[in-house]
Amino acid sequence: MSFSQLSPVWILLAALHLAHGQVVQINQGRLRGTAERSRNGVKYFSFLGIPYAQAPEGELRLKDPQPHPGWSDTKNATEHGNECPQRNYFNHQLIGSDNCLFLNVYTPKIDPNAKLPVMVYIHGGAFKGGNTRFLKEKFIMDKNIVYVAIQYRIGILGFMSFLDDVIPGNFGLKDQIFALKWVQDNIAHFGGDPSRVTIFGGSAGAAAVDYLVISPLAKGLFHNAIIQGGTATSPWAYIPQTVAKQRAEAVATLLGCPSKPTTEALACMRDIPSDNFIIVTDKFLEWDLSPLGPFSPITDSFMGAGAVVPDHPLALPPNPVNIILGYNSYEGNMIASMVCFNEFRLARDMEVDLPRRLALLTNLQDQVKYSEKAKVADRLFEFYLNSQNISKDNVYKFADLGTDILFGHPSFKAALNYYKKVPLYFYLYDITPRITLLTMFGNCTHLRGPSHGEEIVYFFNDIIPNFELTPEEHKLSHRLLDLWTSFASTGVPSDTWTPVASDRIEYLHMTNDGFKMARGLYEDRMRFVDTLPLLNNQYNLRHEKTEL
C-alpha cells in the first residue's frame, strides 16, 4: 500500500489523538483538556474554566476569595467558565453569574520539567465588564510559553467599599492575587516555571497590573509586568475614599438595603440577585455613558497589614519586577468619537455645561475639586482647542486631550515613579490600523491613528469578527509577540529597546515605518498637564529640574 493511501488513515488517527486531549493532575484534582493548533500549526493543550477559588456567592459574596475544595472525578476543562455579572456591551443584555472565578491555561508541553515562561493576562472592561472567552489564544500560542487568562469580580460586587473591614472593597484585585497564588502552586503541572511569571493586561487590565506592581500583597507572585494602555492613576481607575463611601451608601439605598451599620447592609445584599447590582450600576451614569468607571480600586489603608493598596499609587514603590509600560498615541479617540458621533450632538451638549460634562467624560469629576472644575475645563479647551468649539476640523485635538488626561499623563507619572527603582521599558504604539475599533464608541471619520486597545488584535485572534490579518499584519503580530515573550522569558524585550534613564522618558516608538528608540514623550503636553490642580499632581515625582 502506498504512502498516499495510508496518509488519510494517519490524518484520522492524528485527529482522534487531538480530540482525546490530555489529563493533568493539579492540587485540586484531575483536569481533562483538549489538544489544539496555533496560527502556525504548533500543537498545544487547552484547559478552560478551571475554578481557582470558591464561587463568591451567598455567605461569600463581598468577601475575600476562598480556596476551592477541589473535585474527586476528572473534571472536563473544555468549556469557558461563567463570566462575572455585567451588561453585555453590544446587546446590553444582563449576563454572568456570581460563580465566575475561573481561569484558562494553554500550554505546549505537559511536562513539569519544561519550565516554560508563564504569561498571565488580566482582561479589561472599565472594571465593570470583560471576560476570558474573547482572549483567544491562537496567536500567542505560536510562542513557546504557558498562557493563562483569569477572570475576577467587577463592578459593585468587585469594588464597592464601605471603608471598613466588613465590606472593604478591592475584591477584584484580591481575586487576581489569589489567582496568581494558584499559578504559583499549580503552573508547574502544565510545564510552566513559577519563577518566571509575567502579568500583562490592557485597559482596566493594565491598570490592574499596575496595582499589582505596587501592592505589597502581590510581592513575589510575579517577576515581570506589562502595562498596556492604563495605569492605577488613570482617572477612571482610582476612586478617592470619600467618593467610594458615598457611592457604597447610595448602592445600599438603591437596592432597598440599610446603609448603616455595614453588617446589616451586607446581610441584605447577600440575598439580592446579581442582576440588580448591574441595574444599580447604570444609575451612576450621570451623562450619556459617563463616568466610565464608577466602581474601581481604592486606597484601603484602613485594612492595615491586609491592605491591597495601602496608600495612593504614586506614593507606593514598585515591587522588584521588570516593567513594560506604554499606550497608544490616540487613546483619546474613544471619547473624541463619542462627541463626534451623530453630527457632534454630544459635543454641543457638553458645551452647555462644560465644567461638569467635560469632567464626567474625562473621569476627572473625582480627581478635581468642585471649585476648580470650571478653571480646569477652560484651561484644557484653551490649550488643546484654542478655546474653540469641537468640530470636524479640530476633533483630533480633542482626542489629544483625552489621550493625555485618561492615559498619557498617568503613564508618564507612573514612569517617573518607577524608572529609578526598577528596569522600565516604555513604548508609544503609533501604528495606524486598517480597521478601527472606534465603532464601539461611536464612528467618526475625522479621527486618525491607533485608538484605545487597537493593538490587541495582534495579540489575540478574532477580536474583530470576520477580520483577517494580512501577511504584513501577521508579521507585525509576530514582532510584537516576540518582544512580549522575550520579556517574559528574560526580563528584557530586546537588545535595542533600552530602559528609561531620565525624566524625558526614552521610549520605543512603534510606527508603520518601523520601531525605533526616541526621547522626550510629548513633553509640552506633559508639562502642561503637570500644572493642572489634579489629584495625581499632588505627587511631584520629577527627578530633574524642568521649566513649566
Side-chain angles (χ1 to χ4, degrees):
M1 185 177 289
S2 68
F3 175 78
S4 62
Q5 290 173 308
L6 282 173
S7 59
V9 176
W10 287 110
I11 292 171
L12 176 61
L13 289 174
L16 290 173
H17 174 71
L18 286 174
H20 184 264
Q22 181 78 30
V23 174
V24 172
Q25 177 75 46
I26 64 171
N27 294 351
Q28 296 153 286
R30 291 186 303 277
L31 293 168
R32 178 178 287 109
T34 58
E36 308 288 348
R37 294 285 181 183
S38 75
R39 164 177 52 185
N40 284 358
V42 176
K43 180 182 176 181
Y44 65 93
F45 299 98
S46 167
F47 298 86
L48 306 178
I50 304 171
Y52 66 85
Q54 290 188 53
E57 54 192 2
E59 292 298 309
L60 295 183
R61 175 179 276 179
L62 297 171
K63 287 297 182 183
D64 291 356
Q66 298 299 313
H68 195 281
W71 47 88
S72 56
D73 297 329
T74 300
K75 182 179 181 63
N76 283 326
T78 56
E79 295 183 359
H80 289 275
N82 304 316
E83 54 265 275
C84 292
Q86 59 192 274
R87 189 178 292 281
N88 183 290
Y89 187 87
F90 299 100
N91 62 23
H92 307 297
Q93 297 297 309
L94 300 176
I95 59 174
S97 165
D98 279 344
N99 183 17
C100 64
L101 299 187
F102 298 99
L103 55 78
N104 302 336
V105 179
Y106 309 90
T107 179
K109 294 179 182 178
I110 305 295
D111 178 3
N113 296 315
K115 296 188 181 301
L116 298 174
V118 181
M119 299 189 71
V120 181
Y121 193 80
I122 302 175
H123 70 74
F127 291 116
K128 62 182 179 182
N131 56 63
T132 58
R133 65 185 63 227
F134 290 110
L135 307 171
K136 297 180 182 178
E137 75 287 352
K138 298 294 184 184
F139 291 175
I140 198 168
M141 291 313 296
D142 280 340
K143 311 304 175 182
N144 198 31
I145 56 103
V146 176
Y147 166 50
V148 181
I150 68 173
Q151 293 186 166
Y152 54 96
R153 281 173 284 180
I154 51 180
I156 292 172
L157 294 173
F159 293 99
M160 177 181 65
S161 174
F162 278 80
L163 304 188
D164 57 28
D165 60 1
V166 180
I167 304 180
N170 285 346
F171 300 113
L173 295 180
K174 293 174 184 178
D175 293 342
Q176 295 164 17
I177 292 170
F178 206 77
L180 289 174
K181 291 178 179 177
W182 184 98
V183 167
Q184 285 295 313
D185 292 340
N186 292 281
I187 207 64
H189 299 302
F190 298 91
D193 185 350
S195 69
R196 284 195 296 169
V197 175
T198 298
I199 59 174
F200 69 128
S203 194
V209 169
D210 195 23
Y211 274 111
L212 297 178
V213 163
I214 57 174
S215 175
L217 299 189
K219 186 176 182 179
L221 297 178
F222 60 96
H223 314 88
N224 306 302
I226 304 175
I227 302 166
Q228 296 178 233
T231 67
T233 56
S234 291
W236 44 267
Y238 178 80
I239 306 296
Q241 286 186 340
T242 53
V243 176
K245 178 80 177 286
Q246 291 167 357
R247 288 182 182 164
E249 292 176 345
V251 167
T253 300
L254 290 167
L255 289 171
C257 293
S259 60
K260 298 176 183 178
T262 313
T263 51
E264 292 187 13
L266 176 61
C268 176
M269 291 182 188
R270 282 175 171 164
D271 296 328
I272 292 174
S274 58
D275 283 358
N276 291 30
F277 289 87
I278 311 307
I279 294 169
V280 163
T281 302
D282 295 341
K283 304 293 186 184
F284 290 87
L285 301 177
E286 296 184 47
W287 177 60
D288 198 64
L289 298 177
S290 302
L292 183 64
F295 295 93
S296 296
I298 64 162
T299 294
D300 55 354
S301 51
F302 52 87
M303 293 298 291
V308 183
V309 188
D311 204 337
H312 187 276
L314 293 177
L316 294 171
N319 290 319
V321 298
N322 307 301
I323 301 172
I324 288 177
L325 167 63
Y327 63 97
N328 296 354
S329 56
Y330 284 91
E331 298 272 4
N333 282 352
M334 63 183 293
I335 63 169
S337 60
M338 292 169 64
V339 300
C340 172
F341 184 66
N342 195 12
E343 300 297 323
F344 292 90
R345 179 184 62 82
L346 281 184
R348 304 291 83 84
D349 286 350
M350 183 170 63
E351 289 155 8
V352 173
D353 188 3
L354 185 63
R356 175 175 170 271
R357 290 178 177 172
L358 181 61
L360 288 169
L361 191 62
T362 57
N363 275 256
L364 288 179
Q365 78 284 352
D366 301 329
Q367 313 297 326
V368 178
K369 292 179 181 179
Y370 178 81
S371 59
E372 299 277 9
K373 284 184 180 180
K375 177 182 177 182
V376 169
D378 287 343
R379 291 194 61 200
L380 286 169
F381 259 62
E382 178 183 8
F383 181 83
Y384 290 95
L385 293 145
N386 198 26
S387 300
Q388 301 297 309
N389 289 338
I390 301 170
S391 69
K392 64 182 179 62
D393 297 320
N394 65 7
V395 68
Y396 70 93
K397 292 289 188 181
F398 186 71
D400 287 343
L401 184 159
T403 297
D404 293 349
I405 295 298
L406 293 167
F407 299 95
H409 191 257
S411 297
F412 173 67
K413 297 284 281 194
L416 292 177
N417 189 27
Y418 296 155
Y419 86 84
K420 289 278 191 179
K421 304 170 183 126
V422 296
L424 171 68
Y425 300 87
F426 206 99
Y427 74 87
L428 180 67
Y429 182 86
D430 199 12
I431 298 173
T432 301
R434 179 166 55 93
I435 295 180
T436 180
L437 297 179
L438 286 179
T439 52
M440 295 175 61
F441 307 105
N443 199 16
C444 180
T445 59
H446 310 297
L447 295 171
R448 60 182 72 167
S451 183
H452 182 59
E454 288 190 337
E455 84 288 356
I456 200 172
V457 299
Y458 301 111
F459 290 87
F460 305 108
N461 57 291
D462 300 333
I463 293 291
I464 303 176
N466 304 314
F467 174 69
E468 295 291 335
L469 298 187
T470 66
E472 286 301 311
E473 288 169 338
H474 278 294
K475 288 181 182 178
L476 173 59
S477 171
H478 279 292
R479 185 170 189 183
L480 291 168
L481 284 170
D482 284 343
L483 289 171
W484 264 224
T485 55
S486 173
F487 181 71
S489 180
T490 67
V492 177
S494 75
D495 293 338
T496 56
W497 187 351
T498 55
V500 176
S502 73
D503 286 6
R504 293 194 64 191
I505 308 299
E506 294 75 15
Y507 63 95
L508 185 66
H509 194 193
M510 303 176 178
T511 72
N512 294 82
D513 296 325
F515 294 10
K516 63 180 181 180
M517 290 300 299
R519 187 173 187 232
L521 180 71
Y522 295 133
E523 290 181 294
D524 289 344
R525 287 157 58 175
M526 296 301 103
R527 280 194 292 266
F528 165 72
V529 181
D530 271 345
T531 67
L532 297 175
L534 309 180
L535 175 60
N536 286 351
N537 286 338
Q538 294 179 18
Y539 301 88
N540 182 11
L541 299 167
R542 288 186 181 269
H543 307 277
E544 302 157 1
K545 290 183 178 180
T546 181
E547 293 183 8
L548 297 180

